[in-house]
Amino acid sequence: MGLYGIILKEFKHIVRDYRTLMILFILPVLMLVLFGYAMTLEIPNIRLAVEDLDNSAASRELIAGFRGSEFFTLPEAGGLSGRELFRRRVADALLTIPGDYGRGGAVDLQIDASDSNRALIVRQYISAVVERASDARTRRPPIVAVPAFLYNRQLDSAFFFVPALTALIIIMVTALLTSLTITREKEQGTFDLIKLSPVHAYEVIIGKVVPYLLLSLVIGTLIVLCGVLMFGVPMRGSIPAMLFYLILYCLTGLSFGILISTVAASQQTAMLLSLIGTLLPTLFLSGFIFPLESMPSLLRAISWIVPARYFLIIIRGLMLKGNTQRELIFPILMLSAFSAFFLLVAIRRFKAYLEG
């Protein structure tokens, strides 16, 4: 049988299982589209109720600033208090313009903070409009610091989330692919035939990884292309380098899946272990959403063994900053170490099974 025979056998199995192929190509793109459009930091249509007690030219100019923004809609306050407006879900914030606003008075702002993160963003949006109107009202000289946002001038949240979604989808799909290979044969009873064949453990493991590595590279490339074409995420780095990093990351996920398949006794167990081992750590311990610097020291220590943490550095650095291999050497070495470790442990466990 040998290594070539195992690789050929896996390729034939992949080609014949066309329903799984359809899911493998459709599901990642569907996840990228759904999450890419759903996960955004921008908040359109903020419902801002305004109570104008001044009714002056200055107050009307302030209100016009909100009406002219695409981020605000202005429902009628109807004399209700902020608590009542928020309780009835009529408004997200209440801006009260005092009677002395035209003479230099300060406005009062109440925000529904039941969602604290959203409340902070709403405050930033409202404060920006109020500050512009205040500068125009007082005719103060514009002595302000103007920040320059490098690599993402428009502060588009897709630039942050799409590379992270790419890392999440690839690690999930690759681990799931190979975690089911050996367990499927265990359930079908065909795995015992391998024990009777004159093959080494490393030939079986490598023979099962190689076909799925090629398939995973195609899926990973498709995901990156969707991110560039659909969401406008730039590709400032080298395309051959991106392909190399995709191969390395796919190999890490496939190796992890193979390790799971040597442990799990059934496909359901393998699927559960692969999802738990990839989805949760990538979401919470890789820098996907939450900054690692803000986490407790214990969680930061655990994050060092999450492969997606290093691929996030690679893909964000390559796509957004145009980093070179020299600047990404540490995460590259870490992913290589993960792949080697998972493969060696899987081969050792499988060798013990063949000899048992």
Side-chain angles (χ1 to χ4, degrees), residues 49 51 79-89 91-94 96 110-112:
E51 189 176 12
L80 299 175
S81 66
R83 290 181 180 275
E84 191 66 17
L85 288 170
F86 303 154
R87 189 180 67 82
R88 298 185 183 184
R89 303 181 185 276
D92 301 308
L94 172 63
T96 303
Q110 300 177 57
I111 302 176
D112 181 359

Side-chain angles (χ1 to χ4, degrees), residues 55-266:
N55 198 25
S56 63
S59 66
R60 289 192 292 271
E61 184 178 352
L62 173 60
I63 296 173
F66 289 107
R67 292 189 187 279
S69 172
E70 60 179 328
F71 294 103
F72 295 97
T73 58
L74 274 63
E76 293 294 332
L80 299 175
S81 66
R83 290 181 180 275
E84 191 66 17
L85 288 170
F86 303 154
R87 189 180 67 82
R88 298 185 183 184
R89 303 181 185 276
V90 175
D92 301 308
L94 172 63
L95 183 73
T96 303
I97 304 175
D100 60 347
Y101 175 77
R103 299 187 299 275
V107 298
D108 177 70
L109 177 62
Q110 300 177 57
I111 302 176
D112 181 359
S114 54
D115 184 337
S116 58
N117 291 329
R118 191 174 192 275
L120 291 174
I121 298 175
V122 168
R123 184 188 68 177
Q124 293 174 0
Y125 284 12
I126 296 174
S127 298
V129 177
V130 172
E131 287 174 6
R132 286 198 299 268
S134 177
D135 292 343
R137 176 165 53 96
T138 59
R139 300 294 188 267
R140 293 186 302 177
I143 305 176
V144 293
V146 180
F149 298 101
L150 303 180
Y151 310 121
N152 188 2
R153 184 174 298 177
Q154 292 79 24
L155 297 181
D156 190 342
S157 59
F159 284 28
F160 176 77
F161 282 120
V162 169
L165 284 169
T166 303
L168 173 64
I169 294 170
I170 289 176
I171 195 72
M172 284 179 57
V173 171
T174 53
L176 191 61
L177 277 173
T178 48
S179 67
L180 299 177
T181 56
I182 294 179
T183 52
R184 184 191 301 115
E185 295 194 20
K186 287 180 182 178
E187 289 184 345
Q188 293 175 349
T190 58
F191 199 64
D192 293 331
L193 297 176
I194 297 178
K195 297 180 67 174
L196 302 177
S197 304
V199 293
H200 297 283
Y202 73 89
E203 290 179 321
V204 177
I205 298 299
I206 296 175
K208 288 184 173 295
V209 166
V210 169
Y212 289 106
L213 180 60
L214 298 177
L215 178 61
S216 301
L217 178 60
V218 175
I219 295 173
T221 304
L222 178 63
I223 295 172
V224 172
L225 281 176
C226 288
V228 173
L229 299 178
M230 297 179 61
F231 297 95
V233 181
M235 174 60 73
R236 298 191 173 106
S238 167
I239 293 178
M242 172 58 79
L243 293 176
F244 170 73
Y245 301 141
L246 281 176
I247 291 174
L248 182 59
Y249 188 54
C250 289
L251 181 60
T252 304
L254 293 170
S255 305
F256 181 63
I258 280 287
L259 178 59
I260 290 175
S261 68
T262 62
V263 176
S266 65

Side-chain angles (χ1 to χ4, degrees), residues 5-18 211:
I6 295 175
I7 294 176
L8 187 61
K9 167 182 169 296
E10 288 299 319
F11 268 121
K12 289 181 178 179
H13 175 75
I14 292 172
V15 172
R16 289 170 181 170
D17 193 4
Y18 65 92

